[in-house]
Amino acid sequence: MTRPSFTTAIAVAALCGISVAAPVSAQDYPSRPITLIVPFPTGGTTDVLARALGNEMSKTLGQPVIVESKPGAGSTLGADYVAKAKPDGYTLLMGAVHHTIASSVYKKLPYDFQKDLMPITTVALVPNVLVINPGIPAKSVQELLSLAKAQPGKLAYGSNGTGTGQHLIGAQFESLGGVQLLHVPYKGSGPLTTDLMGGQIAMSFDTVTPVLPFIKSGKLRALAVTTSHRSAALPDVPTLDESGLKGFNLGTWFGVLAPTGTPAPIVAKLNQDMVRIIQSADFRKRMADLGAEAIGDNPDQMKQLIAADTERFAKLVKDAKVSLDF
């Protein structure tokens, strides 16, 4: 007896009203535009990196990659949107370290970052930098700490939202520096930096990317970077560890994730194409110019990074006593 071909079987099933799923393949993917969700307002590091990657992905995949901003609730609204999207590879998230922090900060999130989203690749690591309004009479971290100690709770620092990386870095700065600051949450780096330059707040611990042009122009003063090593974009700016806050080592990573259940061949194709772009000489130079270090790892490596940071920040969140309802 001759076995019917797969095509014939599909046709017969269709005539009988039976639904048959075709095997998942990345050959025909993508056949329409892809949306890359940024969970912060435009203008910040997440948005800048998403647009840089999306532009190159559009060329590689032959379909537009549309960068769409869905800010709010410390980056969790955008993550929730993607977690609940159809797992077909057409809705992706530009995630960040903030999402590992949110897992501990929010008492109840409508999604589980480690279960409902699948890592594709880490795009870049970006140091955070302590910057102040030039009107603040401090030329070093120690001078800033002295000012803060003289007026507890008066010097304000901005962040991209309660429970984000900048907020936790600020809390760690308070703890190690023995000072009390006033935390002012914003929806993103754009409005935060505007208020910082305008003098509405004294300082921020934002990533290097959005504030680098203002540091170079003298509109903001950089006192220290928050990672264990200096930033290539700010080689003359010391680390917080070098400035007296021993052991300070916190930075921000950014990476792409898909809804859990996205077919493995599609995830593999996205990873392969993204890593090729991220590790190219042109993209690495572009990242370096932004103060970022291009990465481009595999999904398992990114999964391990997320798990480790979720555990690490859970302790910082507990120590800082940060807790929110969604």
Side-chain angles (χ1 to χ4, degrees):
M1 180 177 177
T2 303
R3 298 175 69 88
S5 68
F6 179 76
T7 303
T8 302
I10 291 290
V12 172
L15 287 172
C16 295
I18 301 172
S19 176
V20 178
V24 175
S25 170
Q27 281 186 322
D28 299 325
Y29 172 84
S31 59
R32 54 188 173 87
I34 295 169
T35 300
L36 180 57
I37 298 296
V38 170
F40 289 108
T42 58
T45 304
T46 319
D47 179 65
V48 171
L49 297 188
R51 293 181 188 281
L53 179 63
N55 182 58
E56 296 303 315
M57 287 293 293
S58 296
K59 300 174 187 176
T60 300
L61 296 173
Q63 290 288 343
V65 174
I66 301 167
V67 176
E68 182 178 340
S69 177
K70 285 190 178 293
S75 79
T76 62
L77 292 186
D80 181 51
Y81 178 84
V82 177
K84 291 178 170 59
K86 186 176 181 180
D88 55 7
Y90 289 97
T91 304
L92 307 175
L93 173 72
M94 178 60 87
V97 70
H98 311 293
H99 294 107
T100 64
I101 300 168
S103 300
S104 298
V105 168
Y106 290 90
K107 294 178 182 178
K108 187 177 181 181
L109 284 173
Y111 66 92
D112 186 313
F113 189 64
Q114 293 191 73
K115 292 180 180 179
D116 297 333
L117 289 152
M118 300 173 62
I120 296 176
T121 190
T122 308
V123 178
L125 295 174
V126 185
N128 290 65
V129 57
L130 167 56
V131 288
I132 63 174
N133 181 287
I136 302 297
K139 298 293 178 65
S140 69
V141 170
Q142 290 303 318
E143 289 182 6
L144 181 64
L145 289 173
S146 295
L147 285 175
K149 288 175 181 177
Q151 41 186 328
K154 296 292 180 66
L155 286 183
Y157 76 94
S159 79
N160 278 358
T162 300
T164 58
Q166 293 96 322
H167 180 196
L168 267 291
I169 289 172
Q172 184 77 336
F173 180 84
E174 289 180 274
S175 176
L176 293 181
V179 295
Q180 183 183 351
L181 304 174
L182 174 63
H183 173 230
V184 181
Y186 288 82
K187 287 186 176 180
S189 293
L192 185 164
T193 305
T194 297
D195 275 7
L196 178 56
M197 289 191 294
Q200 281 77 22
I201 55 174
M203 69 190 85
S204 78
F205 299 88
D206 210 341
T207 46
V208 170
T209 304
V211 296
L212 187 58
F214 304 112
I215 293 171
K216 290 183 175 180
S217 67
K219 293 180 180 179
L220 293 175
R221 182 184 301 140
L223 297 186
V225 295
T226 65
T227 45
S228 61
H229 57 278
R230 296 192 182 196
S231 167
L234 297 168
D236 296 328
V237 177
T239 66
L240 282 172
D241 180 86
E242 291 173 319
S243 302
L245 301 187
K246 296 301 180 183
F248 208 114
N249 181 25
L250 294 172
T252 302
W253 57 260
F254 300 86
V256 182
L257 302 97
T260 292
T262 301
I266 290 178
V267 172
K269 176 178 175 57
L270 285 169
N271 174 264
Q272 183 180 36
D273 289 345
M274 288 182 186
V275 169
R276 186 183 301 114
I277 290 168
I278 294 166
Q279 295 185 352
S280 68
D282 287 347
F283 194 86
R284 293 179 75 87
K285 182 182 184 304
R286 183 169 184 184
M287 291 298 99
D289 290 342
L290 294 171
E293 177 188 351
I295 302 299
D297 54 8
N298 63 48
D300 284 340
Q301 290 170 322
M302 188 180 176
K303 183 178 181 180
Q304 291 171 21
L305 172 65
I306 289 171
D309 270 2
T310 300
E311 182 178 351
R312 178 167 70 124
F313 279 108
K315 183 180 184 308
L316 289 179
V317 168
K318 183 178 179 181
D319 291 346
K321 298 179 182 178
V322 180
S323 181
L324 292 170
D325 289 319
F326 186 76

